[in-house]
């Protein structure tokens, strides 16, 4: 009986703090692989997020969670110049991007992109849907 109660309490605690997501697609490959399951910690502080940290946010368009890489913070300027991505005039990637961009990240938002440059701007990242609001961020991947 005690063992069953302990399992129930653990489930309640787990569900309140964590969720599981299963990767669909290759937009975050090779780091995050399709059909792999990851645990997301919902107990996070927006002020403690780090550049390049993978975050999970809720997409209203698809009514799904998406995993993307955080690359810019509120007030920072994101640009794609000569096929390279810059944040506040500092080159942050050697990937090749086939379009131009000049975006100021709005207050209470972040700029996130896919890891796999082939999918950048083709799915629900900031290049396609704009800045990601703090309110939409669900959590961070547990490593």
């Amino acid at each position: 009986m005690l063992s069953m109660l302990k399992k129930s309490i653990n489930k309640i605690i787990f569900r309140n703090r964590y969720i599981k997501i299963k990767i669909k697609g290759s937009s975050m490959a090779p780091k995050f692989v399709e059909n792999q399951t990851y645990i997301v910690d919902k107990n996070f502080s927006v002020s403690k997020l780090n550049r390049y940290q993978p975050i999970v946010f809720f997409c209203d368009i698809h009514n799904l969670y998406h995993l993307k890489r955080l690359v810019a913070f509120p007030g920072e300027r994101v640009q794609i110049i000569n096929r390279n991505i810059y944040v506040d005039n500092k080159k942050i990637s050697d990937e090749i991007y086939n379009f131009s961009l000049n975006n100021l990240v709005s207050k209470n938002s972040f700029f996130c992109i896919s890891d796999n440059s082939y999918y950048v701007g083709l799915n629900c990242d900031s290049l396609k849907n704009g800045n990601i609001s703090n309110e939409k961020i669900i959590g961070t991947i547990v490593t």
Side-chain angles (χ1 to χ4, degrees):
M1 182 68 152
L2 185 59
S3 174
M4 197 163 93
L5 179 62
K6 188 175 180 181
K7 285 181 183 180
S8 295
I9 290 171
N10 283 340
K11 281 184 183 181
I12 291 169
I13 291 171
F14 183 87
R15 288 182 184 154
N16 284 333
R17 178 162 181 174
Y18 303 101
I19 59 170
K20 291 181 184 179
I21 63 165
K22 188 173 187 176
I23 302 297
K24 294 185 177 158
S26 301
S27 70
M28 293 299 287
K31 176 73 176 166
F32 298 98
V33 181
E34 186 168 20
N35 294 320
Q36 289 284 348
T37 300
Y38 296 92
I39 297 174
V40 178
D41 187 349
K42 298 187 298 183
N43 186 22
F44 72 100
S45 170
V46 170
S47 65
K48 292 186 179 179
L49 293 174
N50 298 308
R51 190 177 317 278
Y52 309 121
Q53 185 173 14
I55 64 167
V56 175
F57 65 92
F58 185 77
C59 171
D60 291 324
I61 296 168
H62 297 107
N63 204 30
L64 293 170
Y65 296 125
H66 289 296
L67 172 66
K68 300 295 172 205
R69 182 89 45 199
L70 189 157
V71 296
F73 293 90
E76 293 183 328
R77 181 161 304 280
V78 180
Q79 296 174 293
I80 296 179
I81 303 169
N82 297 325
R83 301 173 62 160
N84 293 297
I85 192 165
Y86 294 81
V87 174
D88 285 345
N89 297 316
K90 293 178 188 167
K91 185 177 173 184
I92 65 161
S93 175
D94 289 324
E95 299 293 333
I96 302 298
Y97 300 97
N98 293 318
F99 44 86
S100 297
L101 175 75
N102 187 359
N103 177 63
L104 181 64
V105 181
S106 56
K107 184 178 180 181
N108 298 320
S109 296
F110 294 93
F111 192 89
C112 302
I113 61 173
S114 302
D115 280 359
N116 185 336
S117 63
Y118 177 80
Y119 290 97
V120 168
L122 297 176
N123 54 29
C124 284
D125 60 14
S126 293
L127 292 168
K128 183 173 182 181
N129 297 329
N131 300 323
I132 308 300
S133 167
N134 290 0
E135 297 169 352
K136 298 295 179 186
I137 299 174
I138 303 303
T140 59
I141 297 294
V142 175
T143 54

